[in-house]
Amino acid sequence: MELATQYNPQEAEKNHYEHWETSGFFAPEINENPDAPKYSIVIPPPNVTGSLHMGHALQHTLMDVLVRRKRMQGFKTLWLPGTDHAGISVQRKVAEQLRRDENKTPLDVGREEFIRRAWKWKEEYGNTITQQMRREGASVDWSRHRFTMDEDLSKAVREVFCTLFEEGWIYRGLRIVNWCPKDKTVLSDLEVKEETRKDGKLTYLQYPVKQTAETRALARVPKTITVATTRPETMLGDTAVAVNPNDERYKDLIGQMIALPLTNREIPIIADEYVDSEFGTGAVKITPAHDPNDYQVGERHNLPQLLVMNDDATMNENAGEEFVGLDRFEARKKVVAKFEELGLLEKIEDYEISLPVCERCKTIVEPILSEQWFVKMDELRDLALDLIKTEGAPHFHPQIPNEKVYTTWLENLKDWTISRQLWWGHQIPAWYDNEGNIFVARTFEEAAKQAGTDELTQDNDVLDTWFSSGLWAFSTFGWTGENSGQWTVDSGRNKIQPTTDHRPPTTDLEVFCPTDVLVTGRDIIFLWVSRMMMLTKKFVDKKAFDDVIITGTVLGKDGKPMSKSRGNGVDPIEMFDKFGVDATRIYLASIATGADIKWNDTLIETYRNFANKIWNATRFCLMNSEGAQVDYTFINPKAEVREIKRLIGDELIDDFDEEDEEFLDKVEPEFAKDNPKENLSIADKWIISRLNRTARDVNRALDRYFYHEAVRLLYQFFWNDFCDWYIELVKDEITSETVNTTRDAARSRILTILEQALRLLHPFMPYLTEELWQKLPGVNANLHNPAYRSAEQTIMLADFPLGDASLIDERAESEMQTIIELISKVRNIRAEMRIKTSEKLDIHIAADSATNKIFAENEAQILKLARAKELYLSESLNVPKASAKGVLTGGTEIAVPLEGLIDFEKERERLESQINNLSSEGEKLNKQLSNESFVQKAPPEKVEALRERVAEIETQLNALNQNLNALM
RNA sequence: AGUCAGUUAGCUCAGUGGUAGAGCACUACCUUGACACGGUAGGGGUCAGCAGUUCAAAUCUGCUACUGACUACCA
């Protein structure tokens, strides 16, 4: 089998996804183990209007890594996908389509037709993102895909709304709300963003105080009172002027009336603590219908609420004849002009102001008095607060600062405005009779029954999209009874089984809820995370999830958040095309959890190169795979015992002792001691140790959601240990032309190690690893986790290596380290003395017998990798003066005779620089050791380690100094 | 205004009470039978500044500077 010299990601990406999907590998039902623990994640449903951006790619990668690993570990794993109906976004797209194609407005076609078209739009364009997710390799269970407006999810919405209403947590009320004049709907506080404008103006208006007998008597009373405002047009809706009760300047004015200019209304001057005497003029115009603070002042003083704007932010008839129909900004100019005409414009100051804008359309939001539906958050907030305070749920990763942000926000939570003046969404299940009485019910029929009439009109508004999203952690699992999955539960052991037997059925809800972890961005901790926690607790009495991973933001190359307007976006699909899906995924996983990162193509290139390295290492193994196959017993003698067990059959297992060697010899003599499987070299033991250590550490890292740590470990193991050293060390043996069992065992061994590495890499790089795994000789469904034995062979279901602690071999690692150090030292001498690669050298070594034994056992590899022709081992050096010398850890001395090649000056410099480095380190350490309080207070093992290091340095210095003197 | 985070090699970023790390870039050498998207050997950092705690601080604490995020208010 011949592979191309370069990995072509597109090819591998084409080959596998569809097969994985259609084979049912993504669905939890693939798991045959009735006792399997479950693992579940629900995806944050992207907007149907959306297309994949880097934030999705990041989050999806993190979720897929978790899910793929757990699945390989034999968990009954479900990653549930879905999309969100995205109220305003879809509404806008469909309205735009209507305008463009037919020059019509939504009102022209009517509600029913509009909704029909919205569904059509969704069917046509709404699956962009689901296709893109397939490209990403996301192992979601498409058969359980949910849309927030699916019938059962809509039913869940109605159920929750009605229950909350019945319990008194939902109410309809007249409040100051955030109004977007462009979308013509109310927005929740969270959908409003602040935008700072430097060109704001603060306008000072003079209001004439009405002259009465009383005011005339009080000579000190001024003729006017000046108020400052950033929104002069709202003065048309003023119903009072307020001052601080303690403000001496205005004491006499309290209770007086003002003749409000441009209107023929008179308004009172009132006193309220809310007013800050220090700010502006200390007198504030009060417009209860257009400002939240003024509204509250108005409530306290029983002021009238005069709404002067329409829903498109033009002025209404209350604003007066002169202003009616004018846009708010036109009206603003006109008000100012009129005041100027009247001589009542005191001044206009430049003023930096932050304006509330609509998160989506950036239109300036108008605070406006309006009747809306609200959720009173008291009880729900307490549910979430209790969970975090008593159970620490959800546990945030990274914990700081997210947990604090979450808790603080909950503590200051205000009521949630849930109605939206849109057509696309869940229409509010409330009906009105002709008298305006409200009937909230799950269906029209119920409402009619309550009302005693069917002459009812349903509320025109729909619910905030986040209302249905808040139910996502349980509504998607068939909470309403539909689409609830086919599981039965063994009540005795409380284990889950997909069966058709007659035990009582249970649902996806019982199996998969609560979910294990939620992966999402900082921006929706409040909008979504908190609400899922509250509502899931409230309605199914469970935590929505145990853990929340808050991802960082992928910034553009300029270090700013990616945005269309800035044009600094990086399209993940382009990255997939350019570098491959796997490279993009593992790069995204290499970002520290929660950290922001500036996009940088060269880093992704690193992982493109890594993919190519994996490809080529596999290519090498395959080129030399004749007579060999993947077989775990080649890298684990104990596994051989298990293999024997498998061969001799299950019935003997019970009285079988793995340590009983006699028994082994008895049952299967061909597996006995001298077989090449057990005849492992230092290099073999070392790589097996490194493999198992890496596997163990990767699992530990992922358990803590330290993806970047896992990536680092895998990168290092594969590139530095496996490719740079192991392949090079065993190359001669493996490529040998001589056919024998030793060669074939070596070939099987390297194939098996590679196969284990591919499994470890699979969650990060699914396409590459599947592509290569399938090509390895000897792979089959027996390598699967036992939960998937009947499934067709795929690396997706292979058992994820946990790392066998008994195969971590400290001694082999340290012996190998000695060999690596020797080879590196010789290479260093060669490079520094500028000896050509083609020049073969001799190596003389003076070491203790144990070390010499290690070198002797690996002579062939040392000669090859150091490009040497002869290795002389003894206990002391006896070499010509014309030699380059060095010292290894432990005091082993090496010398490379360089007759005719040595540059004595250079060698002197080389030795001197090494001596300098070592002495300055030694000095530092000695100083520390001579510090009494260090020796007394530092942990003994630290002191001991330091002493050892000093001794080591002294040994090396001695040798180096002798070598230097010999040169003089 | 408040809260929080970041500031480490030329660049992008890991690390974290006990002698500073990676990738890229850089220098020199290498068409060594998997890979030049490669190999070998190197150079490069008083870990933003100041003060404190400690035997020991890049790591903990405080302050300062710069950058960024979030929350609230601004008549």
Side-chain angles (χ1 to χ4, degrees):
Chain A
M1 180 169 3
E2 195 59 36
L3 267 61
T5 58
Q6 276 195 3
Y7 171 51
N8 177 353
Q10 273 80 17
E11 189 115 335
E13 285 160 27
K14 254 181 272 158
N15 288 344
H16 303 292
Y17 195 89
E18 199 185 332
H19 180 236
W20 289 336
E21 184 182 343
T22 53
S23 306
F25 295 160
F26 300 156
E29 285 83 358
I30 194 80
N31 192 310
E32 303 156 24
N33 174 14
D35 295 339
K38 71 89 192 177
Y39 190 79
S40 58
I41 298 182
V42 288
I43 203 165
N47 288 350
V48 276
T49 50
S51 58
L52 199 74
H53 62 241
M54 211 41 93
H56 292 126
L58 170 63
Q59 292 173 12
H60 295 170
T61 297
L62 300 188
M63 285 182 261
D64 203 33
V65 167
L66 295 178
V67 159
R68 281 181 183 269
R69 177 174 71 121
K70 289 290 184 181
R71 188 184 293 114
M72 290 170 79
Q73 287 177 346
F75 283 68
K76 187 183 301 294
T77 304
L78 171 60
W79 181 14
L80 186 141
T83 39
D84 187 280
H85 66 276
I88 293 181
S89 294
V90 170
Q91 177 105 8
R92 202 180 283 143
K93 297 245 180 203
V94 176
E96 170 64 16
Q97 195 182 43
L98 264 179
R99 195 190 57 75
R100 199 183 50 225
D101 298 349
E102 302 170 45
N103 200 23
K104 284 182 180 163
T105 66
L107 281 172
D108 294 336
V109 297
R111 182 168 195 140
E112 207 171 310
E113 174 62 14
F114 184 86
I115 289 174
R116 203 186 58 78
R117 289 181 189 234
W119 276 106
K120 197 169 150 233
W121 187 94
K122 186 241 166 193
E123 298 309 327
E124 255 175 68
Y125 304 104
N127 51 8
T128 308
I129 197 148
T130 57
Q131 285 313 316
Q132 290 172 323
M133 281 175 61
R134 287 177 163 89
R135 177 83 191 275
E136 286 181 298
S139 63
V140 296
D141 180 5
W142 291 109
S143 74
R144 282 178 169 82
H145 182 272
R146 290 289 190 276
F147 177 55
T148 45
M149 279 172 66
D150 283 348
E151 185 42 44
D152 59 325
L153 301 208
S154 301
K155 193 172 160 192
V157 165
R158 289 192 296 272
E159 178 62 34
V160 166
F161 183 95
C162 291
T163 306
L164 290 175
F165 179 82
E166 284 152 14
E167 295 182 6
W169 301 114
I170 281 183
Y171 66 95
R172 189 167 159 79
L174 194 62
R175 289 292 156 86
I176 294 280
V177 295
N178 305 298
W179 185 266
C180 175
K182 189 171 175 213
D183 294 324
K184 291 185 192 160
T185 179
V186 63
L187 302 170
S188 72
D189 290 349
L190 293 169
E191 291 162 299
V192 175
K193 295 289 164 224
E194 295 292 318
E195 204 170 86
T196 306
R197 294 276 174 88
K198 297 229 191 275
D199 58 349
K201 301 275 185 254
L202 190 58
T203 308
Y204 289 75
L205 303 175
Q206 294 175 339
Y207 286 180
V209 177
K210 196 183 171 202
Q211 300 301 305
T212 62
E214 190 190 344
T215 53
R216 276 186 287 270
L218 290 161
R220 293 195 300 123
V221 173
K223 296 228 157 42
T224 61
I225 184 165
T226 305
V227 296
T229 179
T230 54
R231 294 190 293 154
E233 71 282 9
T234 60
M235 62 77 52
L236 297 166
D238 283 0
T239 55
V241 167
V243 298
N244 192 289
N246 302 318
D247 193 331
E248 291 296 328
R249 292 173 292 176
Y250 298 119
K251 210 154 197 175
D252 295 337
L253 279 173
I254 295 167
Q256 299 299 318
M257 296 301 281
I258 282 165
L260 190 64
L262 313 186
T263 71
N264 43 25
R265 291 186 293 116
E266 289 188 0
I267 60 175
I269 296 173
I270 59 172
D272 196 286
E273 295 283 351
Y274 155 71
V275 180
D276 175 4
S277 307
E278 304 296 308
F279 190 88
T281 61
V284 186
K285 59 190 273 314
I286 299 296
T287 324
H290 287 278
D291 183 281
N293 292 309
D294 292 6
Y295 174 81
Q296 285 173 4
V297 175
E299 290 280 277
R300 286 196 285 272
H301 297 268
N302 263 321
L303 298 174
Q305 298 155 342
L306 190 65
L307 196 64
V308 292
M309 281 183 207
N310 296 308
D311 64 4
D312 59 354
T314 59
M315 308 310 286
N316 68 16
E317 57 277 10
N318 291 336
E321 260 176 55
E322 279 189 275
F323 296 94
V324 67
L326 279 183
D327 177 77
R328 54 184 162 164
F329 300 115
E330 291 303 315
R332 179 174 301 175
K333 285 183 200 154
K334 193 161 177 180
V335 165
V336 174
K338 288 275 174 191
F339 266 77
E340 193 161 21
E341 274 174 38
L342 294 169
L344 294 172
L345 181 66
E346 190 169 303
K347 60 178 172 177
I348 299 177
E349 280 179 354
D350 287 338
Y351 185 67
E352 186 179 314
I353 189 172
S354 66
L355 292 169
V357 297
C358 171
E359 181 184 40
R360 289 187 192 76
C361 70
K362 309 297 176 204
T363 306
I364 295 171
V365 166
E366 198 64 33
I368 221 167
L369 188 68
S370 177
E371 188 160 43
Q372 300 292 339
W373 290 92
F374 298 88
V375 181
K376 203 183 284 179
M377 300 307 289
D378 310 20
E379 184 201 39
L380 291 170
R381 177 242 327 275
D382 289 345
L383 289 175
L385 274 177
D386 280 355
L387 275 176
I388 192 134
K389 284 179 178 159
T390 61
E391 297 183 46
H395 194 269
F396 283 90
H397 301 268
Q399 188 175 10
I400 297 170
N402 297 313
E403 190 179 297
K404 190 180 167 190
V405 168
Y406 174 81
T407 314
T408 313
W409 181 78
L410 280 177
E411 282 163 355
N412 300 308
L413 196 49
K414 293 190 215 151
D415 288 1
W416 173 17
T417 318
I418 48 169
S419 42
R420 294 292 181 275
Q421 287 63 50
L422 304 173
W423 284 347
W424 178 245
H426 301 103
Q427 194 169 358
I428 290 176
W431 284 262
Y432 304 90
D433 66 12
N434 294 330
E435 274 94 57
N437 295 310
I438 302 176
F439 303 96
V440 169
R442 285 153 184 80
T443 59
F444 171 76
E445 289 71 24
E446 261 186 57
K449 214 168 121 193
Q450 277 181 39
T453 169
D454 52 10
E455 281 189 32
L456 296 173
T457 331
Q458 187 168 2
D459 195 300
N460 274 320
D461 292 352
V462 299
L463 288 163
D464 181 5
T465 305
W466 294 104
F467 192 88
S468 54
S469 312
L471 317 182
W472 189 251
F474 61 95
S475 64
T476 50
F477 291 129
W479 180 60
T480 55
E482 293 102 346
N483 298 319
S484 54
Q486 289 294 314
W487 304 93
T488 65
V489 72
D490 175 339
S491 51
R493 288 182 301 163
N494 198 22
K495 296 284 163 52
I496 300 136
Q497 303 190 352
T499 63
T500 48
D501 70 17
H502 16 272
R503 280 175 293 188
T506 185
T507 61
D508 276 4
L509 187 68
E510 286 166 73
V511 179
F512 296 112
C513 182
T515 62
D516 289 86
V517 57
L518 182 81
V519 179
T520 192
R522 271 190 287 265
D523 49 337
I524 53 178
I525 293 178
F526 308 139
L527 280 167
W528 195 47
V529 176
S530 64
R531 286 166 184 167
M532 278 204 288
M533 284 311 285
M534 298 170 191
L535 291 164
T536 308
K537 182 67 185 168
K538 169 85 181 158
F539 286 91
V540 292
D541 195 26
K542 288 182 181 180
K543 290 178 277 184
F545 25 76
D546 294 311
D547 293 335
V548 180
I549 298 174
I550 301 295
T551 61
T553 312
V554 184
L555 306 169
K557 290 176 179 124
D558 55 359
K560 300 269 166 56
M562 291 186 189
S563 76
K564 276 186 195 136
S565 57
R566 238 183 243 113
N568 62 347
V570 179
D571 180 3
I573 304 293
E574 271 174 39
M575 293 299 118
F576 293 168
D577 291 341
K578 202 164 159 196
F579 301 108
V581 171
D582 290 322
T584 311
R585 284 173 59 118
I586 195 168
Y587 165 56
L588 290 168
S590 78
I591 299 167
T593 312
D596 290 351
I597 189 141
K598 241 182 261 187
W599 188 262
N600 186 337
D601 273 3
T602 64
L603 280 171
I604 223 181
E605 252 176 76
T606 301
Y607 293 101
R608 191 262 324 257
N609 297 350
F610 184 46
N612 195 52
K613 190 78 178 175
I614 297 166
W615 176 267
N616 273 293
T618 307
R619 182 165 168 259
F620 170 77
C621 294
L622 288 174
M623 283 166 69
N624 301 289
S625 61
E626 204 183 297
Q629 62 172 350
V630 171
D631 178 348
Y632 190 61
T633 63
F634 279 97
I635 61 168
N636 183 356
K638 265 210 216 133
E640 185 156 22
V641 176
R642 287 198 282 274
E643 181 64 9
I644 294 167
K645 282 202 291 192
R646 203 175 64 77
L647 293 175
I648 61 184
D650 288 343
E651 63 276 11
L652 285 175
I653 286 178
D654 287 342
D655 48 31
F656 184 89
D657 178 2
E658 289 200 359
E659 307 298 323
D660 182 353
E661 301 198 359
E662 254 179 70
F663 182 82
L664 285 186
D665 292 346
K666 203 161 50 194
V667 287
E668 210 42 88
E670 68 172 287
F671 283 106
K673 283 270 163 88
D674 318 317
N675 87 50
K677 288 187 184 176
E678 296 197 13
N679 208 359
L680 298 180
S681 69
I682 291 174
D684 294 331
K685 287 183 196 157
W686 167 76
I687 196 71
I688 290 166
S689 178
R690 291 286 308 131
L691 172 71
N692 283 283
R693 190 189 289 279
T694 302
R696 184 194 67 184
D697 293 349
V698 162
N699 279 291
R700 284 182 183 170
L702 288 178
D703 285 342
R704 300 163 64 206
Y705 308 117
F706 279 24
Y707 297 87
H708 58 301
E709 177 72 6
V711 171
R712 210 201 82 232
L713 288 163
L714 288 167
Y715 186 94
Q716 243 172 36
F717 170 76
F718 201 91
W719 203 309
N720 303 133
D721 296 337
F722 185 68
C723 293
D724 290 349
W725 287 104
Y726 190 67
I727 289 185
E728 296 305 327
L729 286 164
V730 300
K731 196 172 252 177
D732 279 349
E733 191 174 13
I734 279 173
T735 55
S736 159
E737 309 265 312
T738 323
V739 181
N740 60 38
T741 54
T742 311
R743 184 198 73 169
D744 290 347
R747 289 180 163 194
S748 290
R749 195 172 297 120
I750 198 169
L751 273 175
T752 307
I753 291 161
L754 171 70
E755 195 265 345
Q756 293 275 311
L758 291 177
R759 294 192 206 185
L760 288 167
L761 286 160
H762 179 259
F764 300 93
M765 311 179 92
Y767 291 115
L768 170 68
T769 50
E770 177 77 312
E771 180 76 11
L772 293 175
W773 190 84
Q774 295 287 357
K775 294 183 199 299
L776 301 182
V779 295
N780 57 53
N782 283 330
L783 303 181
H784 286 180
N785 181 285
Y788 311 111
R789 278 287 151 74
S790 342
E792 202 182 328
Q793 69 176 50
T794 171
I795 194 173
M796 266 193 71
L797 303 176
D799 202 14
F800 194 81
L802 297 173
D804 183 339
S806 72
L807 293 173
I808 295 176
D809 185 340
E810 303 287 352
R811 184 169 161 186
E813 291 199 26
S814 114
E815 290 179 351
M816 189 64 210
Q817 203 44 52
T818 308
I819 295 170
I820 288 175
E821 201 187 351
L822 170 66
I823 294 168
S824 302
K825 186 58 94 179
V826 176
R827 285 169 170 174
N828 172 275
I829 288 171
R830 182 191 290 280
E832 293 200 352
M833 301 307 281
R834 301 192 184 280
I835 314 285
K836 275 192 244 154
T837 322
S838 52
E839 197 85 40
K840 297 271 182 173
L841 305 169
D842 284 346
I843 305 171
H844 291 253
I845 289 174
D848 58 53
S849 58
T851 311
N852 275 337
K853 184 162 172 274
I854 296 167
F855 291 147
E857 279 173 18
N858 293 275
E859 184 177 1
Q861 286 90 336
I862 291 168
L863 292 178
K864 179 179 156 74
L865 298 186
R867 308 202 134 255
K869 59 177 183 288
E870 208 76 55
L871 186 64
Y872 297 95
L873 301 170
S874 69
E875 289 184 9
S876 63
L877 282 183
N878 180 20
V879 290
K881 185 185 171 193
S883 300
K885 295 179 183 164
V887 190
L888 307 183
T889 306
T892 297
E893 291 187 65
I894 74 165
V896 178
L898 295 171
E899 204 70 57
L901 295 169
I902 196 160
D903 176 337
F904 285 102
E905 187 51 37
K906 203 163 230 135
E907 173 70 355
R908 199 174 296 126
E909 277 173 27
R910 214 174 58 82
L911 292 174
E912 275 169 355
S913 103
Q914 287 179 38
I915 289 168
N916 282 342
N917 288 344
L918 280 172
S919 336
S920 65
E921 190 193 336
E923 261 173 54
K924 229 161 81 182
L925 297 186
N926 270 319
K927 206 170 144 194
Q928 210 176 332
L929 276 173
S930 61
N931 180 342
E932 261 178 53
S933 29
F934 169 72
V935 180
Q936 277 169 15
K937 295 187 181 174
E941 65 271 18
K942 299 281 181 199
V943 179
E944 191 44 40
L946 220 68
R947 289 216 168 98
E948 273 171 29
R949 179 64 189 152
V950 166
E952 174 68 39
I953 287 168
E954 270 161 21
T955 315
Q956 294 199 11
L957 275 177
N958 271 339
L960 288 168
N961 277 318
Q962 271 177 31
N963 294 342
L964 186 60
N965 291 337
L967 277 180
M968 297 299 177

